[in-house]
């Protein structure tokens, strides 16, 4: 069996690696000259810069297993203790995000009446219809309007950069919906879940799947360490500058037509996995199945601009904590700022300070089209207003992602079910990547491992020039 993996992002690379470890032949076709997708790391002028994701939550067994099998698990680095505090910019000021119920009751993260309303969540009820609803609807029912617009919106902004009035509660934060269904109250459910986890640890039981908590982590050379290790392990299995032009059914599977460095080529495969953004997948399946293509095209994306600001030693105070998030109600272009040099000191040499601002998202998609100077100026202006930062950076860099973060809008899970039903008409064709079952690096690796188990088997490959 041969598996053609279209797309050399983290999902495609991890899938091919897992397949080959199981004895299944795999070929990765990547349209650009480099692999890794949005995961890109590079060093510049004393800084280690991430073009896309900055870190991962070290709680996922499949991530650790992959790192260990690649020989890079010893290079995983947890966030520094100085990054324990997190902040939310709300009501015109940076306010500490409390980490315990007593701290929440004493904090100024919300006005007193809104904090009391959150406590009243213990009396809240389940979704009366049971149907998918927006994250905002779930939040207002349980937490009240202000806590939803501040805390819940900040939480989703840090993951999806989306519009919580449009995001599906069940698709984006399924753990919240699960708590509601099983315990009625989110707070009551969280307390019970924590107690159960403590009992399991005390008894020596091993938690199945992701743990409830984990440390924010990266690799000592950035997330690119994982991509480089996968690329090295796969070797010539990965074919770059290979742009897929079309898919055709054959008697024994699939034919993949592509241009490799401008030259027509063809590959025969038993299975084809489209590990590419949903709009790209839609364009490839449209000649086969217009309805499946329409479903994939219906998954929107929030464009993201990543703005790095590096400051020379001694020009700014060392920022406290991991960083801060900005709810939509504040009307800012900056979605959040990561204090990179505080969180991972090894990413800025000699006392330098590195800040990474995320801008745009669903609230300001137009910003991705702005030029670098304008984005840097806007980021600096807002950092001055929110954090009092006035120093001039010695380094600036902007990376734009028009297809930034997939948005799991209301009806997303129903859409996935419909897509899976359509795929049954096309045996051997599969969709994978962050557009479907999780947007993070951990999610992509977990999905790759799951799909490898489905497809794993004996191997063979055929490729020829057209």
């Amino acid at each position: 069996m041969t598996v053609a993996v279209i797309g050399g992002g983290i999902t495609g690379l991890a899938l091919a690696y897992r397949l080959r470890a199981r004895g299944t032949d795999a070929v990765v076709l990547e349209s650009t000259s480099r692999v890794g997708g949005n995961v890109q790391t590079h060093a510049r002028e004393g800084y280690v810069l991430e073009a896309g994701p900055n870190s991962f939550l070290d709680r996922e067994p499949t991530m650790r297993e992959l790192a260990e099998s690649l020989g890079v698990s010893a290079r995983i680095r947890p966030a520094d203790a100085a990054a324990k505090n997190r902040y939310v910019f709300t009501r015109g000021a940076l306010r500490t995000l409390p980490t315990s119920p007593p701290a929440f009751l004493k904090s100024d993260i919300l006005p007193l009446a809104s904090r009391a309303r959150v406590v009243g969540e213990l009396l809240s009820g389940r979704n009366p219809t049971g149907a998918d609803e927006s994250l905002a609807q779930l939040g207002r029912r349980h937490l009240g309007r202000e806590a939803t617009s501040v805390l819940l919106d900040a939480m989703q902004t840090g993951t999806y950069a989306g519009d919580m009035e449009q995001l599906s509660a069940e698709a984006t934060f399924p753990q919240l919906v699960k708590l509601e269904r099983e315990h009625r109250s989110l707070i009551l459910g969280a307390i019970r879940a924590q107690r159960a986890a403590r009992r399991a640890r005390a008894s020596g039981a091993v938690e199945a799947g992701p743990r409830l908590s984990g440390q924010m982590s990266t690799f000592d050379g950035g997330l690119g360490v994982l991509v480089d290790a996968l690329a090295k392990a796969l070797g010539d299995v990965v074919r770059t500058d290979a742009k897929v032009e079309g898919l055709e059914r054959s008697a024994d599977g699939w034919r993949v037509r592509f241009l490799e460095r401008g030259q027509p080529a063809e590959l025969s495969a038993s299975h084809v996995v489209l590990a590419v953004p949903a709009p790209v997948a839609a364009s490839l399946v449209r000649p086969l199945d217009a309805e499946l293509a329409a479903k994939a095209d219906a998954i929107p994306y929030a464009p993201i601009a990543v703005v790095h600001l590096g400051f020379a030693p001694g020009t700014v105070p060392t920022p406290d904590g991991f960083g801060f998030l900005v709810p939509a109600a504040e009307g800012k272009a900056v979605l959040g700022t990561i204090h990179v040099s505080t969180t991972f000191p090894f990413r800025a040499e000699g006392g330098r300070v590195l800040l990474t601002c995320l801008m745009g998202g669903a609230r300001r998609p137009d910003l991705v089209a702005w030029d670098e100077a304008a984005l840097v100026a806007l980021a600096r202006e807002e950092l001055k207003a929110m954090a009092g930062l006035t120093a001039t950076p010695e380094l600036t860099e902007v990376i734009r992602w028009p297809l930034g973060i997939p948005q799991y809008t209301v009806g997303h899970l129903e859409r996935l079910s419909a897509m899976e039903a359509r795929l049954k008409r096309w045996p051997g064709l599969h969709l994978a990547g962050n557009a479907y079952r999780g947007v993070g690096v951990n999610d992509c690796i977990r999905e790759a491992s799951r799909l490898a188990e489905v497809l794993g088997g004996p191997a063979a490959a055929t490729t020829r020039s057209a």
Side-chain angles (χ1 to χ4, degrees), residues 202-213:
S203 67
V206 178
E207 291 181 56
R211 300 189 301 276
L212 288 173
S213 61

Side-chain angles (χ1 to χ4, degrees), residues 50-134:
E50 297 282 13
N54 259 269
S55 55
F56 63 91
L57 199 58
D58 188 13
R59 66 176 189 179
E60 187 75 36
T62 50
M63 168 63 95
R64 273 280 174 178
E65 290 164 4
L66 179 61
E68 287 171 4
S69 67
L70 290 166
V72 295
S73 61
R75 300 185 66 179
I76 293 176
R77 297 289 182 269
D80 194 87
K84 66 178 182 178
N85 289 331
R86 296 174 183 236
Y87 297 88
V88 174
F89 183 78
T90 179
R91 306 196 316 282
L94 289 174
R95 303 177 193 275
T96 306
L97 190 64
T99 57
S100 68
F104 172 75
L105 293 174
K106 296 176 183 177
S107 77
D108 64 351
I109 192 76
L110 297 173
L112 179 59
S114 297
R115 279 176 277 152
R117 170 62 182 85
V118 171
V119 174
E121 196 278 336
L122 288 163
L123 303 176
S124 61
R126 295 180 175 87
N127 182 344
T129 67
D132 192 15
E133 63 180 342
S134 73

